[in-house]
Structure formats: C-alpha cells, structure tokens
Amino acid sequence: MGQAAFEFDSPLPAPAFEPQTAFEIGWDFAHFALVPPAEHLLAGSALRYGFDAGRASFGARTLAPTRHTRKWLQLRLNAWRRGRIFEGLQVTPNYLGQIDTTHCPITREALTQATGTPSDASIDRVRNDAGYAAGNLVVMSTRANAAKGDADFDAALASMRRAESTAGADTSSAAAAQGVTLGAAQWARIAVLCSFVTELSHAQAAALPLLVLPPNRLRLFNPVQALQALVTRQFAQPDWNRRVTRIAALIAGKSVRRDFQIFINALLPRVIESGPPRDAQAMRWALEDAWRNPLVVRCWKRFALQIDAAQAERIVLDASALRLGDRHAIATSLAQATEGWGLAQGGYVHASDATALPRPRRPRPTPARSGALPANDLAGDAAAASHPGLHLPPGGRAGGAMPALA
C-alpha cells in the first residue's frame, strides 16, 4: 500500500521529552501508511525512528486509515508537540467515532471535513486545564473552537454578557484577533457546555438552563444536570408520557412530585410549539430551545432545589436501571471521573511524568476496503436561535461528580 501524505497545522517545535511517545506515534503512522509532517522526519527524531521501524516491520501489511484514525493520530501528535497529556487507553479511533456529530453544538452549523473553512469539525478539550482525555472531548466547528479558546465556565459567562451588551456579537480582543465572533446565544451554549465538567454547588447547577444537551460521552460533574438531561430527552421518545410518569414515581415526597409535574407541564408546550421535528437533530434543537423560556427555568429550579445532589443522582441511577434513559448512567467519585485528565498539572505533561502515562491502545486491523466511516445521516437547519438574555449564575467549586450518561 502506498504512503499517503498527512497535513497538519503550522509546524511547532518538537518537545525534548517523551521520546517513547514520539516513537509510538511514528510507528502508528507507518501502521496506517500515513506520512508524518516533514519537520518530524529529520534525522535523529524519535518520531522518525518509530516511523522507519514501523515501515520496516509492516511493509505492505498496513491498515486502511479511516477519518477517525487520521484524527486520532493528529490529536496524539498535536498533544505531544504541545506537551499536553493524551489519555490513550480510552481515547481511540472508535471513541472519536462515538463523539462524532454532524452539526456543531455551539453554532449549529453543518460540520465539514478538512475543507480549511471555519465550519470544519474540530475536537475541543472542554476543560483547558485538562488533557486529551475521555469525558473531556467534544466535536465542534473550528469557528466555535477558536472563539472558545481556553475559556472556562466563568469566562464564557462574561463573553455572553459582553455579547448581549454589544448587540449580540462578542467583540473581545481574543475573538477579534482571530477574526471570530459569536453571539450571545452561542456563548450561552459554551457556558452551559463548560458547566457540565465544572464542579458547581447543587444550587448553582440547578439554576442553569439546558441550552445545549450534553454531547455523547461527555462526563457530567453535577448530578442535577444529569437529571435535567435525562428528563429533557424523554420528549424525544414516542412513549414519553409513560417514561416521565415512571421517573416521577422515583421522586420522594408528594409536594416534590407535584412541582416536578408542574415543570413537565411548563416544558411540554414549549416543545410542542416548535412544530413536528424533521429529524433527530431538529428535535434536539427544539428541546434545547424550550429551555430559553424563563417559566421553564423557574419551574425547574423550584423543583430541583427541593432535592439535593445525592437524591438527584439516585433518581438518575434508578431511572437508568429501569432503562428509562437513552443511555446508561454510572456514578463515580470525582477522582475516578477525572482519572487521566492531568488536572494537577493543568493538563500538561512534565518530563519526569512521561513514563507514567498510559500508552495508546492499538486499533484492531480493518479490511482495506473500509475507507472513511459513513457520515451520520442527521440533518437540520444550521441557523442558530437568538438568546433571550437569561442570566446564569457565577461558577463555583463545590459538589460531587457524576460521569456522562454513556
């Protein structure tokens, strides 16, 4: 099989540590008949040694690279060049296929692939102080990724309010320097996205509208947001009424159940008034937009503040055991949920820690005819809805952890 060129962004100097990681990256490039960037093929480069060793070992017995295999190699190389942690036990080509999507969750534009335009799909680390690790990665447009930068929950809230005060567009120096601007509605979605992996108090998390549904495999640190997503997703099911009734039966206290039903009665009309959804993507946006209504947020907050984080977690787990959700929920400690994220060192690898990092898992061989994986057939309108000016609470650092509904 012939070698294929592999394009990357502007070259960066190679780090002086982790030669074993560089060797393995070069080895895997050869395994998939792909050529690393030229600046890493200089004599004496550990990556070049791995590439040459791989070509000598595999010869013509290479694997057919898929789009997600290419992205996997690109992420590993970029993480190594920047000294970032790459958690290779779970972040595999298969994992990248699981988090893939057809539309940006922030701008709602249809994602393109390798066209060099702002609509190209890119993988973002939701928490910039963590590495490339399972539970911290989301696919979004290059436009949204560039605008978000290293913004966390609080910074996204500040950008949202700045955009609201400047007629809907963020004019911060960081965004203007890159020629990228986002509206208040898009910054609000970024803030909610960041809140999923930010340890908030129960009261803070309960006050947030679900302006963006949690992307697949993202870990949720705040149990009440997991409950919020679980209940909201029920309206995408044909038998939502039976499902919601069974979830209500898991809630202790007659008055609490009554307020839960009041919330359901507030959310349902907002979903219905959006009209029959064309497809699953349009339904997802309709559910998110229903949370723009202040009445929905008030009814949810009134219910959610009558339970605590432990009760919210128990409801989600019990509902998952009854198969009332569209994905399975597992509760872990915060330490387990962030294992491999490298939070202690801000997501960076130090030379002394390099040997302790888990090595990437090798993908299974695929037939040569496999080619690129088929694109998701979801489609929808790429126009983003305007933000109603909801005021989100400031961030915090208290509360338990709950991984994503997977």
Side-chain angles (χ1 to χ4, degrees):
M1 181 179 296
Q3 298 288 333
F6 198 82
E7 298 296 333
F8 283 87
D9 298 332
S10 57
L12 294 175
F17 54 86
E18 286 200 279
Q20 179 63 30
T21 297
F23 183 93
E24 293 190 353
I25 293 173
W27 176 277
D28 285 336
F29 266 98
H31 201 182
F32 290 96
L34 297 171
V35 180
E39 67 268 19
H40 296 295
L41 294 179
L42 300 177
S45 165
L47 195 148
R48 172 65 183 269
Y49 287 146
F51 180 65
D52 289 342
R55 288 200 301 174
S57 176
F58 299 120
R61 296 175 290 104
T62 56
L63 303 180
T66 66
R67 173 164 58 88
H68 299 123
T69 303
R70 293 173 181 269
K71 179 61 69 174
W72 176 67
L73 289 169
Q74 179 185 1
L75 284 180
R76 289 174 58 196
L77 181 59
N78 287 345
W80 172 72
R81 293 194 301 185
R82 292 169 171 80
R84 287 284 188 178
I85 285 179
F86 185 92
E87 194 281 294
L89 293 181
Q90 297 183 67
V91 182
T92 64
N94 180 62
Y95 179 89
L96 298 184
Q98 293 175 358
I99 68 173
D100 201 6
T101 184
T102 59
H103 289 75
C104 175
I106 305 303
T107 64
R108 293 184 173 178
E109 60 190 322
L111 295 176
T112 54
Q113 301 293 333
T115 64
T117 61
S119 62
D120 275 355
S122 65
I123 295 181
D124 174 65
R125 289 174 295 110
V126 183
R127 281 187 64 157
N128 196 60
D129 62 343
Y132 293 89
N136 189 42
L137 302 179
V138 169
V139 175
M140 63 176 63
S141 67
T142 302
R143 183 197 326 274
N145 199 344
K148 175 179 176 291
D150 60 356
D152 58 8
F153 175 56
D154 293 322
L157 282 183
S159 293
M160 181 199 74
R161 293 172 180 136
R162 185 164 50 246
E164 288 177 335
S165 65
T166 55
D170 176 35
T171 56
S172 64
S173 58
Q178 302 182 57
V180 178
T181 58
L182 295 179
Q186 296 160 339
W187 274 113
R189 294 187 193 116
I190 290 178
V192 173
L193 180 68
C194 292
S195 74
F196 293 144
V197 290
T198 303
E199 310 95 272
L200 303 175
S201 70
H202 177 75
Q204 289 172 323
L208 293 175
L210 194 65
L211 299 177
V212 58
L213 285 167
N216 194 32
R217 302 300 299 272
L218 186 69
R219 292 179 182 165
L220 307 186
F221 287 11
N222 307 298
V224 70
Q225 289 182 306
L227 177 59
Q228 189 181 32
L230 170 70
V231 174
T232 302
R233 285 192 175 109
Q234 301 306 311
F235 292 94
Q237 305 296 328
D239 56 344
W240 65 267
N241 191 24
R242 179 187 64 83
R243 290 169 169 268
V244 169
T245 300
R246 296 186 69 186
I247 292 176
L250 300 175
I251 301 173
K254 184 177 180 179
S255 62
V256 182
R257 285 195 299 271
R258 182 183 65 247
D259 285 335
F260 176 77
Q261 191 60 52
I262 292 175
F263 157 71
I264 295 298
N265 293 338
L267 181 64
L268 178 59
R270 309 289 89 78
V271 177
I272 294 177
E273 69 186 13
S274 64
R278 299 182 304 276
D279 48 43
Q281 184 65 63
M283 185 68 201
R284 183 184 184 94
W285 291 342
L287 294 175
E288 294 173 350
D289 290 343
W291 281 92
R292 295 165 50 204
N293 188 287
L295 176 62
V296 172
V297 179
R298 287 200 304 270
C299 291
W300 169 257
K301 185 177 178 180
R302 179 176 178 178
F303 155 72
L305 291 181
Q306 295 183 67
I307 61 176
D308 57 23
Q311 290 172 312
E313 180 178 298
R314 186 73 263 160
I315 295 171
V316 172
L317 294 177
D318 289 346
S320 178
L322 294 173
R323 299 185 178 181
L324 297 178
D326 60 349
R327 54 204 66 196
H328 185 60
I330 302 175
T332 69
S333 66
L334 179 61
Q336 291 173 318
T338 58
E339 185 176 2
W341 287 31
L343 294 178
Q345 57 263 44
Y348 285 96
V349 176
H350 301 299
S352 59
D353 302 331
T355 57
L357 290 178
R359 296 301 173 193
R361 180 184 299 169
R362 295 293 194 279
R364 294 179 181 274
T366 56
R369 64 177 182 274
S370 61
L373 294 183
N376 195 319
D377 59 359
L378 300 180
D381 188 2
S386 61
H387 188 261
L390 295 178
H391 296 285
L392 308 183
R397 291 291 172 185
M402 187 167 192
L405 306 177

